[in-house]
Coordinates of all heavy atoms in Angstrom, one line a residue:
V1 N 28.5 -64.9 -35.2 CA 27.4 -64.1 -35.5 C 26.5 -64.1 -34.3 O 26.1 -65.2 -33.8 CB 26.6 -64.7 -36.7 CG1 25.3 -63.9 -37.0 CG2 27.5 -64.8 -38.0
P2 N 26.2 -62.9 -33.8 CA 25.4 -62.9 -32.5 C 23.9 -63.3 -32.8 O 23.4 -63.1 -33.9 CB 25.5 -61.4 -32.1 CG 25.8 -60.7 -33.4 CD 26.6 -61.6 -34.3
D3 N 23.3 -63.9 -31.8 CA 21.9 -64.2 -31.8 C 21.1 -63.0 -32.1 O 21.4 -61.9 -31.6 CB 21.4 -64.9 -30.5 CG 22.0 -66.2 -30.3 OD1 22.4 -66.9 -31.3 OD2 22.1 -66.7 -29.1
G4 N 20.1 -63.2 -33.0 CA 19.2 -62.1 -33.2 C 19.6 -61.1 -34.3 O 19.0 -60.1 -34.6
W5 N 20.8 -61.4 -34.9 CA 21.3 -60.5 -36.0 C 20.3 -60.3 -37.1 O 20.3 -59.2 -37.7 CB 22.6 -60.9 -36.5 CG 22.5 -62.1 -37.4 CD1 22.5 -63.4 -37.1 CD2 22.3 -62.0 -38.9 NE1 22.3 -64.2 -38.2 CE2 22.2 -63.4 -39.3 CE3 22.1 -61.0 -39.8 CZ2 21.9 -63.7 -40.7 CZ3 21.9 -61.3 -41.1 CH2 21.8 -62.6 -41.5
D6 N 19.5 -61.3 -37.3 CA 18.6 -61.2 -38.5 C 17.1 -61.0 -38.1 O 16.2 -61.4 -38.8 CB 18.7 -62.5 -39.3 CG 18.4 -63.8 -38.5 OD1 18.2 -63.7 -37.3 OD2 18.3 -64.9 -39.1
D7 N 16.9 -60.3 -36.9 CA 15.5 -60.1 -36.5 C 15.0 -58.8 -37.2 O 13.8 -58.5 -36.9 CB 15.4 -60.0 -35.0 CG 16.2 -58.8 -34.4 OD1 16.9 -58.1 -35.1 OD2 16.1 -58.6 -33.2
H8 N 15.7 -58.2 -38.0 CA 15.2 -57.0 -38.8 C 15.0 -57.5 -40.2 O 15.7 -58.4 -40.7 CB 16.2 -55.9 -38.7 CG 16.4 -55.3 -37.4 ND1 16.7 -56.0 -36.3 CD2 16.2 -54.0 -37.0 CE1 16.8 -55.2 -35.2 NE2 16.5 -54.0 -35.6
P9 N 14.1 -56.8 -41.0 CA 14.0 -57.2 -42.4 C 15.3 -57.0 -43.1 O 16.0 -56.0 -42.9 CB 12.9 -56.2 -42.9 CG 12.2 -55.7 -41.6 CD 13.2 -55.8 -40.5
C10 N 15.6 -57.9 -43.9 CA 16.8 -57.9 -44.7 C 16.5 -58.1 -46.2 O 15.5 -58.7 -46.5 CB 17.8 -58.9 -44.3 SG 18.4 -58.7 -42.6
S11 N 17.4 -57.7 -47.1 CA 17.2 -57.8 -48.5 C 18.6 -58.2 -49.2 O 19.6 -58.0 -48.6 CB 16.7 -56.5 -49.1 OG 15.5 -56.1 -48.6
Y12 N 18.5 -58.7 -50.4 CA 19.7 -59.0 -51.2 C 19.5 -58.4 -52.6 O 18.4 -58.7 -53.2 CB 19.9 -60.5 -51.2 CG 21.1 -60.9 -51.9 CD1 22.4 -60.9 -51.3 CD2 21.1 -61.3 -53.3 CE1 23.5 -61.3 -52.0 CE2 22.2 -61.6 -53.9 CZ 23.5 -61.6 -53.3 OH 24.6 -62.0 -53.9
L13 N 20.4 -57.7 -53.1 CA 20.3 -57.1 -54.4 C 21.3 -57.9 -55.3 O 22.6 -57.8 -55.1 CB 20.6 -55.6 -54.5 CG 20.6 -55.0 -55.8 CD1 19.2 -55.2 -56.5 CD2 20.8 -53.5 -55.7
L14 N 20.8 -58.7 -56.2 CA 21.6 -59.5 -57.1 C 22.0 -58.7 -58.3 O 21.2 -58.2 -59.0 CB 20.8 -60.8 -57.5 CG 21.4 -61.7 -58.5 CD1 22.7 -62.3 -58.0 CD2 20.4 -62.7 -58.9
F15 N 23.3 -58.7 -58.6 CA 23.8 -58.1 -59.9 C 24.1 -59.2 -60.9 O 23.5 -59.2 -62.0 CB 25.1 -57.3 -59.7 CG 24.9 -56.1 -58.8 CD1 25.8 -55.9 -57.7 CD2 23.9 -55.2 -58.9 CE1 25.6 -54.8 -56.9 CE2 23.7 -54.1 -58.1 CZ 24.6 -53.9 -57.1
A16 N 25.0 -60.1 -60.6 CA 25.5 -61.0 -61.6 C 25.0 -62.4 -61.3 O 24.8 -62.9 -60.2 CB 27.0 -61.0 -61.6
S17 N 24.9 -63.2 -62.4 CA 24.3 -64.5 -62.3 C 25.2 -65.5 -61.5 O 24.7 -66.4 -60.9 CB 24.1 -65.1 -63.7 OG 25.3 -65.2 -64.4
Q18 N 26.5 -65.2 -61.4 CA 27.4 -66.1 -60.6 C 27.0 -66.0 -59.1 O 27.5 -66.9 -58.4 CB 28.9 -65.8 -60.8 CG 29.3 -64.5 -60.4 CD 29.5 -63.5 -61.6 OE1 28.7 -63.5 -62.5 NE2 30.5 -62.6 -61.5
Y19 N 26.2 -65.1 -58.7 CA 25.8 -65.0 -57.3 C 24.3 -65.5 -57.1 O 23.7 -65.3 -56.1 CB 25.9 -63.6 -56.8 CG 27.3 -63.1 -56.8 CD1 27.7 -62.2 -57.8 CD2 28.2 -63.5 -55.8 CE1 29.1 -61.8 -57.8 CE2 29.5 -63.1 -55.9 CZ 29.9 -62.2 -56.9 OH 31.2 -61.8 -56.9
E20 N 23.8 -66.2 -58.1 CA 22.4 -66.7 -58.0 C 22.3 -67.7 -56.9 O 21.2 -67.7 -56.2 CB 22.0 -67.4 -59.3 CG 20.6 -67.8 -59.4 CD 19.6 -66.6 -59.1 OE1 19.7 -65.6 -59.8 OE2 18.7 -66.8 -58.2
D21 N 23.3 -68.5 -56.6 CA 23.2 -69.4 -55.4 C 23.0 -68.6 -54.1 O 22.3 -69.1 -53.2 CB 24.4 -70.3 -55.3 CG 24.5 -71.3 -56.4 OD1 23.5 -71.5 -57.1 OD2 25.6 -72.0 -56.6
V22 N 23.7 -67.5 -54.0 CA 23.6 -66.7 -52.8 C 22.2 -66.1 -52.7 O 21.6 -66.0 -51.6 CB 24.7 -65.6 -52.8 CG1 24.6 -64.7 -51.5 CG2 26.1 -66.2 -52.8
A23 N 21.7 -65.7 -53.9 CA 20.4 -65.1 -53.9 C 19.3 -66.2 -53.5 O 18.4 -65.9 -52.8 CB 20.1 -64.5 -55.3
A24 N 19.5 -67.4 -54.0 CA 18.6 -68.5 -53.7 C 18.6 -68.7 -52.1 O 17.6 -68.9 -51.5 CB 19.0 -69.7 -54.4
E25 N 19.8 -68.7 -51.6 CA 19.9 -68.9 -50.1 C 19.2 -67.8 -49.4 O 18.5 -68.0 -48.4 CB 21.4 -69.0 -49.7 CG 21.6 -69.1 -48.2 CD 23.0 -69.1 -47.8 OE1 23.9 -69.4 -48.6 OE2 23.2 -68.9 -46.6
A26 N 19.4 -66.5 -49.9 CA 18.7 -65.4 -49.3 C 17.2 -65.6 -49.3 O 16.5 -65.3 -48.4 CB 19.1 -64.1 -50.0
R27 N 16.7 -66.0 -50.5 CA 15.2 -66.3 -50.6 C 14.8 -67.3 -49.6 O 13.7 -67.2 -49.0 CB 14.9 -66.7 -52.0 CG 14.9 -65.6 -53.1 CD 14.4 -66.2 -54.4 NE 14.8 -65.2 -55.5 CZ 15.9 -65.3 -56.2 NH1 16.8 -66.3 -56.1 NH2 16.2 -64.4 -57.1
E28 N 15.5 -68.4 -49.5 CA 15.2 -69.5 -48.6 C 15.1 -69.0 -47.1 O 14.4 -69.5 -46.3 CB 16.2 -70.6 -48.7 CG 16.1 -71.4 -50.0 CD 17.3 -72.4 -50.1 OE1 18.0 -72.7 -49.1 OE2 17.4 -72.9 -51.2
R29 N 16.0 -68.0 -46.8 CA 16.0 -67.5 -45.5 C 14.9 -66.4 -45.3 O 14.8 -65.8 -44.2 CB 17.4 -66.9 -45.2 CG 18.4 -67.9 -45.2 CD 19.8 -67.3 -44.9 NE 19.8 -67.1 -43.5 CZ 20.9 -66.7 -42.8 NH1 22.0 -66.6 -43.4 NH2 20.8 -66.5 -41.5
G30 N 14.1 -66.1 -46.3 CA 13.0 -65.2 -46.2 C 13.4 -63.7 -46.5 O 12.6 -62.8 -46.3
L31 N 14.6 -63.5 -47.1 CA 15.0 -62.2 -47.5 C 14.3 -61.8 -48.8 O 14.1 -62.6 -49.6 CB 16.5 -62.1 -47.6 CG 17.4 -61.9 -46.4 CD1 17.3 -63.1 -45.5 CD2 18.8 -61.6 -46.8
R32 N 14.1 -60.5 -48.9 CA 13.6 -60.0 -50.2 C 14.8 -60.0 -51.1 O 15.9 -59.6 -50.7 CB 13.0 -58.6 -50.0 CG 11.8 -58.5 -49.1 CD 11.4 -57.1 -48.9 NE 12.4 -56.4 -48.2 CZ 12.4 -56.0 -46.9 NH1 11.3 -56.3 -46.2 NH2 13.4 -55.4 -46.3
V33 N 14.6 -60.4 -52.4 CA 15.6 -60.4 -53.4 C 15.2 -59.6 -54.6 O 14.1 -59.8 -55.1 CB 16.0 -61.9 -53.7 CG1 17.1 -61.9 -54.8 CG2 16.5 -62.6 -52.5
A34 N 16.0 -58.8 -55.1 CA 15.8 -58.1 -56.3 C 17.0 -58.3 -57.3 O 18.1 -58.6 -56.8 CB 15.6 -56.6 -56.1
H35 N 16.8 -58.2 -58.6 CA 17.8 -58.4 -59.5 C 18.0 -57.2 -60.4 O 17.1 -56.7 -61.0 CB 17.5 -59.6 -60.4 CG 18.6 -60.0 -61.4 ND1 18.3 -60.6 -62.6 CD2 19.9 -59.8 -61.3 CE1 19.4 -60.7 -63.2 NE2 20.4 -60.3 -62.5
L36 N 19.2 -56.7 -60.4 CA 19.6 -55.6 -61.3 C 20.7 -56.1 -62.1 O 21.8 -56.3 -61.7 CB 20.1 -54.4 -60.5 CG 20.7 -53.2 -61.3 CD1 19.7 -52.6 -62.2 CD2 21.2 -52.1 -60.3
P37 N 20.4 -56.5 -63.4 CA 21.4 -57.1 -64.2 C 22.7 -56.3 -64.3 O 22.6 -55.1 -64.6 CB 20.7 -57.2 -65.6 CG 19.2 -57.3 -65.3 CD 19.1 -56.3 -64.1
G38 N 23.8 -56.9 -64.1 CA 25.1 -56.3 -64.1 C 26.2 -57.2 -63.8 O 26.0 -58.4 -63.9
E39 N 27.3 -56.7 -63.3 CA 28.4 -57.5 -62.9 C 28.8 -57.2 -61.5 O 28.2 -56.3 -60.8 CB 29.6 -57.3 -63.9 CG 29.3 -57.7 -65.3 CD 29.0 -59.2 -65.4 OE1 29.6 -60.0 -64.7 OE2 28.2 -59.6 -66.3
H40 N 29.8 -57.9 -61.0 CA 30.4 -57.6 -59.7 C 30.7 -56.1 -59.5 O 31.3 -55.5 -60.5 CB 31.6 -58.5 -59.4 CG 32.2 -58.4 -58.1 ND1 31.5 -58.9 -57.0 CD2 33.3 -57.8 -57.6 CE1 32.2 -58.7 -55.9 NE2 33.3 -58.0 -56.2
L41 N 30.3 -55.5 -58.4 CA 30.6 -54.1 -58.2 C 29.8 -53.2 -59.1 O 30.2 -52.1 -59.5 CB 32.0 -53.7 -58.2 CG 32.9 -54.4 -57.1 CD1 34.4 -54.0 -57.3 CD2 32.4 -54.0 -55.7
H42 N 28.6 -53.7 -59.6 CA 27.8 -52.9 -60.5 C 27.4 -51.6 -59.9 O 27.1 -50.6 -60.7 CB 26.6 -53.7 -60.9 CG 25.8 -53.1 -62.0 ND1 26.2 -53.0 -63.3 CD2 24.6 -52.5 -62.0 CE1 25.3 -52.4 -64.0 NE2 24.3 -52.1 -63.3
Q43 N 27.3 -51.5 -58.6 CA 26.9 -50.2 -57.9 C 27.9 -49.0 -58.3 O 27.5 -47.9 -58.3 CB 26.9 -50.4 -56.4 CG 28.2 -50.6 -55.7 CD 28.6 -52.1 -55.6 OE1 28.1 -52.9 -56.4 NE2 29.5 -52.4 -54.7
I44 N 29.1 -49.4 -58.7 CA 30.0 -48.3 -59.2 C 29.6 -47.8 -60.6 O 29.7 -46.7 -60.9 CB 31.4 -48.8 -59.1 CG1 31.8 -49.1 -57.7 CG2 32.4 -47.8 -59.8 CD1 33.1 -49.9 -57.5
I45 N 29.2 -48.8 -61.4 CA 28.8 -48.5 -62.8 C 27.5 -47.8 -62.9 O 27.3 -46.8 -63.7 CB 28.8 -49.8 -63.6 CG1 30.2 -50.4 -63.7 CG2 28.3 -49.5 -65.1 CD1 30.3 -51.8 -64.2
D46 N 26.5 -48.2 -62.1 CA 25.2 -47.7 -62.2 C 24.7 -47.3 -60.8 O 23.7 -48.0 -60.3 CB 24.3 -48.7 -62.9 CG 23.0 -48.1 -63.3 OD1 22.7 -46.9 -63.0 OD2 22.2 -48.8 -64.0

C-alpha cells in the first residue's frame, strides 16, 4: 500500500452484520460509516 493512500476522505458502507468488525476498524481509522441493512452484494439487490 503506497504512503498517502488514505489522505483523502474515505467511507465504508456496511450491509451485513458479519462485516461489523470491518466497519469498527473503519470507524477507528476515522472513516465515515453508514449501515444499509442487507446481505453480501446488497448493491445488486437494492
Side-chain angles (χ1 to χ4, degrees):
V1 178
D3 290 338
W5 74 269
D6 59 353
D7 65 353
H8 292 57
C10 298
S11 302
Y12 183 83
L13 180 55
L14 171 67
F15 294 132
S17 61
Q18 63 260 36
Y19 297 103
E20 187 57 55
D21 290 348
V22 178
E25 180 182 340
R27 285 184 196 96
E28 289 172 13
R29 296 182 75 171
L31 277 66
R32 295 174 299 253
V33 176
H35 182 211
L36 174 59
E39 295 300 326
H40 185 70
L41 298 177
H42 188 72
Q43 67 272 22
I44 295 169
I45 296 166
D46 194 356

